[in-house]
Amino acid sequence: MAAYLQWRRFVFFDREMVKEPPGPEGAGGKPFALPPGITVCDSGRGNLVFGDMEGRIWFLPRSLQLSGFQAYKLRVTHLYQLKQHSILVSVGEDEEGINPLVKVWNLEKRDGGNPLCTRIFPAIPGNKPTVVSCLTVHENLNFMAIGFADGSVVLTKGDITRDRHSKTQILHEGSYPVTGLAFRQSGKTTHLFVVTTENIQSYLLSVKDYSHLELDTHGCGLHCSSLSDPSQDLQFIVAGNECVYLYQPDERGPCFAFEGQKLIVHWYRGYLIIVSKDRKTSPKSEFAGNEAQNSDKQVLNIYDLCNKFIAYSSIFDDVVDVLAEWGSLYVLTRDGKIHVLQEKDAQTKLEMLFRKNLFEMAINLAKSHHLDSDGLSEIFRQYGDHLYNKGNHDGAIQQYIRTIGKLEPSYVIRKFLDAQRIHNLTAYLQTLHLQSLANADHTTLLLNCYTKLKDSTKLEEFIKASESEVRFDVETAIKVLRQAGYYSHAVYLAEKHAHHEWYLKIQLEDIKNYQEALRYIGKLPFDQAESNMKRYGKILMHHVPKETTELLKNLCTDYQPSGNSEGPGILEGKKANSEEFIPVFANNSRELKAFLEHMTEVQSDSPQGVYDTLLELRLQNWAHEVDKQIKEKLHDEALTLLKSGRFKTVFDKALVLCQMHNFKDGVLYLYEQGKLFQQIMHYHMQNEQYKKVIEVCELYGDQEACLWEQALGYFARKEEDCKEYIAAVLKHIENKNLMPPLLVVQTLAHNSTATLSVIKDYLVNKLQKQSCQIEQDGQRIQKYRDETTRIRQEIEELKASPKIFQKTKCSICTSALELPSVHFLCGHSFHQHCFESYSESDSECPTCMPENRKVMDMIRAQEQKRDLHDQFQHQLKCSNDGFSVVADYFGRGVFNKLTLITDLPLGKSATTIEAGLQRELLMHTKRST
């Protein structure tokens, strides 16, 4: 039970007197007055409806143009205007006595200018005439209930506007006057509330037997009951002198203690309107308590039952009734005047509450007025500011929390940044994250609050929310937790939300758990595992070298994440470049060697850098090894690697490595593979290995002749006794004719130990060979001169003497010649038929033609090669005897222009004959030689 004395009073309505509209001449402004004798009234369909003591019904529209008609001969006692239909139901008297009549009027139809009366029937319960006390009609026009002073209730079911379609019956009988009736429709269920002066009952009209239930054993006076709207669940309101009760069809609801004798009760837009007697006046009877004298003062109170306050309270003189129409309340007093109560707008009401710091009440009022979220948020903000200024920080933060989503969070955060209010700030930030409205800065601030408060429980609840409930920036949270030293929490977040870089960074740099970091990398997909090993490989190799090496082997061959349950081959082709991980082993040569050897074994196509590094590593180990057996083994391993054929493309690099580590066998092998024979010999020269120098010359002298010359110069510069080696070199030079004798003498002149006896045999042999050669050349010259003289004589003879053909046999068939025959200057004769059968040209001898063609081909070849300058230069440069090359080209006629006349101009027969003769002579000469 709520005591109304505790409810605050407000003036949420403006009271004005209804005044007459201005006339044509502008006159007006006087209070509007109704005709005298008004007894009943109602409202709806845009009109205020009145009934008077003379039987007239009046209609007052908003324009205040009053109109009426004669409805009864005597008086009108009851009116009921339907809200959803233009139907008016009235009860009145046409004659003296107890003869009440019910008339149903259709206001949309006219009968002689008046509304059409569609139905008239007497309001008498059975055969006992009595006074009608109350009247109500269902909005669906299927039910009408009339209450009487003798306690009876008559129910009309069916179309209330027609007699033939309706049925009237007595629903209720009792000994106490019926003071109130109300229909309640809920879905398809219809109830009728009946209240008397002594009890309250509800009837279920949706069933045939009209079952009923007594709700209470006390009642109320006339006009002291009403039905609420759906906001109060269509409850039946009964106002007694002590309390106001609310009823459901099957039970009693809440009760409100509003004292005072109730005269009129209405429900309007969520407000309960009660007109009661002023406490200063003397009490009067309950029944027909509204029949007060004109001097009586009455109090009109408007209650807000939801928000528990009095919205308006005012004193009136003898209220007839309170009507609701056009969005306002109209209070009709006995003197015929009308007062209008206009509700203030929601913003005005809220401002009034704000001025009194009644924020809770303002919030409730805003909700009941269905104010939007922006308006509510502003109320919450003002309420929070009020509490904050009063020092109630806990209450203030609760109000600020209700503004989340509308109010900028920084407005609140700035107020609570003080360390003493960190609890409040934490609560606000928590809610901000729960509503997924926090940014990275808010997450940072909240986590800092947790760490300042050392509230590990709340911190774990915050970060260990399920993935679907994560409402914060994970990376920001990881940074803050790491900075605050909550490494385990940061690692949990990083692992859960797959922030691999942060997980590894914390494990390696803060927790120093290298084994766990390595295990985590082994679970990652290939691309991420590869990038992280490049980044953290050196750190891991320094602390867990063995495990790191194994992971790198796996990563560079056939990588499979350790947590992958699928079979092998799912990542086929995903292999890291082993060469890129060599820097990881900077200070771990043993692991590096194991890694590189593993890669060369399982992948023959490993990058070149792998083999280069492995060679360098083996050479280093060989150079620093002291144990002879191990050193020999390392020597063989390095040489085997060199001979694997993997260093052809990086020959220079491998050679530099071997030279740096003084790996003799490797250097010599690479020189040999690169055909660097001079370098091989120079290597032996530097080491003064004379026999090796001779061996090199013997092995590679045929490929590079200058080796013998260099060897002779080397021994010539030695001050030691090298006669044996010089003699061996000179012997080979002599056999191959590699150097002129004078150059040999000049070379050996630098050796102080070499005497003439060393080259005596060489010079003697050389001079003898040259003498023989001179003699042979002289004989050949004389032969050529004699042959030239003979040929010239033959040419002269052919020019000056006749040619006698004495051949008796054919040169082809060897048979005796018979005419006709063919003779050539070369001395060959042929049968004409043999010549024609075997000859290819009429001007050439078939027997001499092959030899002549060879000569002609040689001449043509010489002509073509005359301008081959590059070829001549190449042969001259590469030949051991340049003079012979020049002589050969002189012999080909390269250095003189050769003119060969084959065809002559017409008209010069003598010249033609001479040319032919020269050609024949040339052919004859070539054949003879």
Side-chain angles (χ1 to χ4, degrees), residues 540-658:
L540 294 170
M541 182 62 66
H542 178 69
H543 294 89
V544 281
K546 182 178 179 181
E547 293 81 356
T548 305
T549 304
E550 291 301 320
L551 180 57
L552 287 175
K553 289 179 181 179
N554 184 21
L555 192 64
C556 296
T557 52
D558 188 12
Y559 178 72
Q560 286 289 324
S562 59
N564 190 358
S565 60
E566 299 186 23
I570 191 69
L571 295 175
E572 186 175 355
K574 287 281 190 178
K575 297 178 182 179
N577 187 347
S578 52
E579 185 177 4
E580 296 177 354
F581 291 98
I582 292 176
V584 171
F585 299 87
N587 299 316
N588 299 76
S589 58
R590 183 175 61 184
E591 284 75 14
L592 176 59
K593 182 180 179 183
F595 172 72
L596 296 177
E597 289 177 346
H598 173 78
M599 294 308 302
T600 56
E601 290 174 4
V602 300
Q603 286 186 4
S604 59
D605 58 344
S606 294
Q608 185 61 42
V610 172
Y611 290 93
D612 295 344
T613 309
L614 182 58
L615 175 62
E616 183 178 4
L617 197 60
R618 287 183 175 179
L619 291 175
Q620 286 179 355
N621 294 339
W622 172 82
H624 294 89
E625 185 57 53
V626 179
D627 191 321
K628 292 184 178 181
Q629 293 182 352
I630 300 177
K631 192 178 184 72
E632 184 65 23
K633 181 181 178 182
L634 293 174
H635 175 277
D636 295 340
E637 289 179 354
L639 197 58
T640 302
L641 183 61
L642 276 175
K643 294 181 178 180
S644 64
R646 299 293 306 186
F647 299 93
K648 293 180 180 179
T649 58
V650 289
F651 174 84
D652 295 340
K653 186 175 183 180
L655 184 59
V656 169
L657 289 175
C658 293

Side-chain angles (χ1 to χ4, degrees), residues 28 105 122 151 172 221 238 374 392 427 460 503 508 583 590 601 633 641 665 713 721 753 787 847:
W105 307 90
H172 172 78
V238 178
D374 291 334
N392 184 1
E460 289 186 5
Y503 181 90
L508 295 174
R590 183 175 61 184
E601 290 174 4
K633 181 181 178 182
L641 183 61
D665 292 344
D721 188 2
T753 61
E787 184 70 19
T847 304

Side-chain angles (χ1 to χ4, degrees), residues 731-759:
K731 183 178 180 180
H732 191 85
I733 290 175
E734 179 185 356
N735 294 335
K736 297 292 183 178
N737 193 22
L738 300 178
M739 295 177 64
L742 184 59
L743 184 59
V744 172
V745 174
Q746 291 176 349
T747 301
L748 291 177
H750 297 289
N751 191 336
S752 60
T753 61
T755 60
L756 187 61
S757 62
V758 176
I759 60 173

Side-chain angles (χ1 to χ4, degrees), residues 92-152:
E93 299 176 3
D94 280 343
E95 59 184 29
E96 292 292 343
I98 305 175
N99 295 311
L101 290 177
V102 178
K103 294 184 180 183
V104 180
W105 307 90
N106 189 338
L107 303 180
E108 293 180 349
K109 296 181 180 181
R110 293 291 168 174
D111 182 13
N114 297 330
L116 175 64
C117 182
T118 61
R119 184 180 182 189
I120 302 176
F121 64 93
I124 301 175
N127 297 322
K128 301 176 182 178
T130 183
V131 177
V132 175
S133 58
C134 54
L135 168 70
T136 188
V137 182
H138 199 293
E139 287 292 335
N140 63 12
L141 301 179
N142 285 327
F143 292 102
M144 180 193 302
I146 303 173
F148 297 90
D150 65 353
S152 302

